[in-house]
Amino acid sequence: MSKLYIGTNTKMYKNIAQTASFLEALGRQTADLSRESMELFVIPSYTALDRVSVTARAAGIRLGAQNMGWEDEGQFTGEISPIMLAEVGVTIAEIGHSERRHVLGETDEMENRKVHAALRHGMTALLCVGETKAQRTHGIADEVLRTQLKEGLFGVDAARAEQLWIAYEPVWAIGVGGEPASAAYAEARHAAIRQALFELFGAAGAKIPVLYGGSVNPENAAALAAQPDIGGLFIGRSAWDAERFAAIIRQVLPIFADKAEGRRRS
Ligand code: PGA
């Protein structure tokens, strides 16, 4: 796992024109950075996907969807199907973001159906997990993460593990008013996630990238990136300006290169 996985979800913020100019700027700002050493992705609003698909591909930026229905078609008013998303160039389905779970009431069982739908359609399933503040206080963060992983990934064959990415995003760390996790706290949770992935998939589980998200900013990105079990960063607010995002990428890329080198040597 030597690559840096880094991306942003723009939530319900950028319209089509804003997304297009953001992607163009991000493409320019990162044009000199090899995509061999990084997976760069952007997850914009649905309405922007079709318009920015060509720009994103040309810039070496993978496109994701913020949510996805689990059926190919049918009587599901308000849902969007994997087929519709694939048609506009989406290769990553973000599943179970904290706002989907805690504001919109999604359950682990729903996330599991979405994971299977993404895999069936050849997409990367980016499953987000994270404990609430109360769960952290009660000392059950790792239990919550294990449950979300084991329920969310139930029935996934180890042969499909290469289509999985995990984002650890503690609910209390996300968004305006969020308090960033310390690097040590995040690393401890990432280690628990690694263990659960090993139990699920054996050796294939060790290769699944696990990204940290929740109030990542230019001040804490390097310390988080340096942790052995953190495989990338999933950033909200601090990535919505292309220049600011590119500066974070430049800051953490060499840290990942060093980690990869260290692993090769050991
Ligand atoms: P934030 O968002 O970086 O603005 O806290 C993270 C996320 O919701 O993925």
Side-chain angles (χ1 to χ4, degrees), residues 33-157:
L33 303 177
S34 154
R35 297 314 194 246
E36 303 271 290
S37 53
M38 122 176 119
E39 285 270 5
L40 177 59
F41 62 97
V42 171
I43 308 187
S45 53
Y46 296 133
T47 52
L49 288 169
D50 190 26
R51 162 82 179 277
V52 301
S53 163
V54 172
T55 309
R57 192 170 321 119
I61 299 170
R62 283 181 64 184
L63 267 192
Q66 295 179 14
N67 178 33
M68 187 179 80
W70 58 73
E71 295 288 346
D72 292 358
E73 63 177 17
Q75 303 180 110
F76 295 99
T77 303
E79 287 299 294
I80 188 149
S81 116
I83 294 174
M84 294 165 184
L85 293 172
E87 187 183 18
V88 292
V90 163
T91 63
I92 301 166
E94 180 180 359
I95 295 165
H97 184 274
S98 148
E99 288 142 24
R100 302 293 319 165
R101 291 176 187 265
H102 298 287
V103 184
L104 293 144
E106 291 188 7
T107 63
D108 285 325
E109 200 249 328
M110 292 161 85
E111 316 311 3
N112 182 245
R113 288 173 187 241
K114 294 176 189 205
V115 166
H116 281 281
L119 301 182
R120 203 166 58 237
H121 286 276
M123 294 181 187
T124 297
L126 169 53
L127 178 67
C128 305
V129 295
E131 81 284 6
T132 64
K133 193 169 189 166
Q135 290 164 335
R136 180 188 70 180
T137 308
H138 298 163
I140 55 168
D142 290 347
E143 285 87 337
V144 170
L145 297 173
R146 290 173 66 78
T147 301
Q148 290 176 343
L149 290 165
K150 295 214 168 176
E151 298 272 19
L153 301 175
F154 181 76
V156 173
D157 197 278

Side-chain angles (χ1 to χ4, degrees), residues 129-244:
V129 295
E131 81 284 6
T132 64
K133 193 169 189 166
Q135 290 164 335
R136 180 188 70 180
T137 308
H138 298 163
I140 55 168
D142 290 347
E143 285 87 337
V144 170
L145 297 173
R146 290 173 66 78
T147 301
Q148 290 176 343
L149 290 165
K150 295 214 168 176
E151 298 272 19
L153 301 175
F154 181 76
V156 173
D157 197 278
R160 295 274 206 181
E162 61 189 26
Q163 280 175 257
L164 297 173
W165 297 355
I166 305 299
Y168 168 56
E169 301 202 294
V171 179
W172 45 270
I174 292 176
V176 177
E179 144 209 0
S182 70
Y185 183 90
E187 171 60 18
R189 304 290 78 72
H190 276 247
I193 290 170
R194 283 254 149 267
Q195 175 61 29
L197 293 175
F198 179 75
E199 288 167 24
L200 280 163
F201 303 116
K207 298 202 184 108
I208 298 173
V210 185
L211 291 65
Y212 171 80
S215 291
V216 174
N217 59 41
E219 288 72 48
N220 63 19
L224 287 162
Q227 301 307 309
D229 288 306
I230 295 186
L233 299 174
F234 192 20
I235 313 176
R237 291 155 296 155
S238 292
W240 296 341
D241 171 80
E243 206 171 319
R244 194 169 150 91

